[in-house]
Amino acid sequence: MLKPPEHQVAGHRAQDGQLGPLVDGCGIFYKPLQGDGRGDAEVAFYTSLFSHPAVPPHIHSFFPGFHGTLVLPASDASGPRPHLALDDLLAGLRSPSLIDLKIGGRTWPPDCPEDYFQKCIVKDRESTSVALGFRVSGVQIQDPAGADAFWRPSRAAVRRYMVEDVRRVLRQFVSANPPSPDQKPDCALASAVYGGPDGVLAQLMELKAWFEEQTLFHFYSASVLLVYEKDAVVAAAGQQAGKSSGVRMKLVDFAHVMEGQGVIDHNFLGGLCSLIKFMSDVLNDPEAGGRESIKVQLSCEDGSLENLGI
Ligand SMILES: O=P(O)(O)O[C@@H]1[C@@H](OP(=O)(O)O)[C@H](OP(=O)(O)O)[C@H](O)[C@H](OP(=O)(O)O)[C@H]1OP(=O)(O)O
Ligand SMILES: Nc1ncnc2c1ncn2[C@@H]1O[C@H](COP(=O)(O)OP(=O)(O)O)[C@@H](O)[C@H]1O
């Protein structure tokens, strides 16, 4: 049976009669084709990515598997609608921690409509996109209180994140202690999630190497989605023989991918480099919890952690 994903952290949601993605519980994530040509652009991108001879096969693993399109009843009750059928990146995970990081200092493609440009540039300037080359779009972290408890700041709170908030959240994301005004993130899982041969940093470096060369695509408003499950990471760290921690890192959201026309995607590449630097800092200085006394908006959706003065 199709239902809205339990753990979606950003983007359009199939809630309250809105159009959004659905999952089948068997490993497929169905994303409705959006209007204004965005859905068609996303289908064209996936088709090109998986068939273009100049895309090295190992690069495919940085993207969700693509299984074509399927007409399904839309979540907004508007009737049958084509959906992209993608691998569900959270399949098999009961208590995932995940973060959506929108990459690029500018999220608007060239020649987009003026009103869209105006909307995007305001968000880019008011968020950390311009300053850092990326921003947090959404985050959920398993709460140590229980496997089914999560810390998930509201969309409005995430939109207000400034540079120090981003630094803090990237530390909190790999910490075993809960977000609190009294404690710095302990970064206990940093080496297991960000470090190691199959950790996020190693994967980002491999992706960056491709972006240093590829001139096929320019990715505007696409995200890096990081997913891990604490129990699996802790279990892998306790084993000698390099058991995989199962940390998943994929790119998502290709509604605004443009042809690269032989030019490096310096906007996306710059954002990747910046993210790599931020994560390296977490690994190299795991004790630091970020500047003290910063007013960040670490609110939960239930409001219980609203306005922590961290
Ligand atoms: O509608 P908004 O203002 O919430 O903007 C959406 C963005 O939400 P935000 O508020 O930035 O978190 C949303 O961002 P996230 O995926 O939530 O990071 C998308 O950028 C979405 O555009 P598209 O589906 O990628 O074409 C954006 O939707 P469009 O307005 O471009 O359709
Ligand atoms: N293949 C996928 N599997 C699981 N979750 C996904 C997948 N793609 C996206 N998501 C979830 O949906 C969110 C929004 O996805 P995105 O493609 O950016 O949608 P939108 O175009 O509405 O912004 C992501 O932050 C993530 O939580």
Side-chain angles (χ1 to χ4, degrees), residues 158-197:
V158 171
R159 282 182 77 154
R160 291 193 293 269
Y161 279 5
M162 293 292 98
V163 174
E164 291 303 331
D165 307 325
V166 171
R167 206 186 298 281
R168 171 92 184 192
V169 157
L170 288 175
R171 290 178 186 276
Q172 192 67 59
F173 187 64
V174 290
S175 291
N177 60 334
S180 154
D182 307 320
Q183 280 183 316
K184 291 178 177 177
D186 62 21
C187 296
L189 307 173
S191 56
V193 176
Y194 293 159

Side-chain angles (χ1 to χ4, degrees), residues 81-254:
R81 187 181 189 107
H83 289 63
L84 288 146
L86 303 169
D87 282 347
D88 182 353
L89 303 176
L90 277 70
L93 303 184
R94 180 181 156 202
S95 305
S97 294
L98 60 155
I99 186 166
D100 180 312
L101 298 152
K102 194 181 284 265
I103 307 296
R106 59 176 266 197
T107 58
W108 42 276
D111 303 326
C112 65
E114 178 66 19
D115 56 345
Y116 187 73
F117 161 74
Q118 291 296 346
K119 181 176 139 174
C120 289
I121 200 158
V122 168
K123 283 200 255 184
D124 293 351
R125 286 176 177 156
E126 290 181 349
S127 71
T128 62
S129 291
V130 168
L132 297 185
F134 70 94
R135 69 177 182 247
V136 178
S137 277
V139 60
Q140 157 177 312
I141 305 174
Q142 192 207 325
D143 195 307
D148 294 325
F150 298 98
W151 175 76
R152 191 191 291 172
S154 70
R155 192 182 180 99
V158 171
R159 282 182 77 154
R160 291 193 293 269
Y161 279 5
M162 293 292 98
V163 174
E164 291 303 331
D165 307 325
V166 171
R167 206 186 298 281
R168 171 92 184 192
V169 157
L170 288 175
R171 290 178 186 276
Q172 192 67 59
F173 187 64
V174 290
S175 291
N177 60 334
S180 154
D182 307 320
Q183 280 183 316
K184 291 178 177 177
D186 62 21
C187 296
L189 307 173
S191 56
V193 176
Y194 293 159
D198 63 351
V200 173
L201 267 171
Q203 294 185 56
L204 283 176
M205 294 300 282
E206 194 180 337
L207 189 62
K208 172 175 160 271
W210 182 57
F211 272 88
E212 284 167 347
E213 290 187 352
Q214 77 85 15
T215 58
L216 293 170
F217 309 112
H218 283 191
F219 294 78
Y220 295 98
S221 207
S223 291
V224 166
L225 189 68
L226 305 182
V227 184
Y228 77 90
E229 203 160 42
K230 197 163 114 198
D231 288 353
V233 162
V234 170
Q239 304 218 347
Q240 291 287 324
K243 187 174 179 286
S244 169
S245 62
V247 176
R248 303 174 187 181
M249 193 213 83
K250 303 280 178 186
L251 298 183
V252 296
D253 200 356
F254 311 112

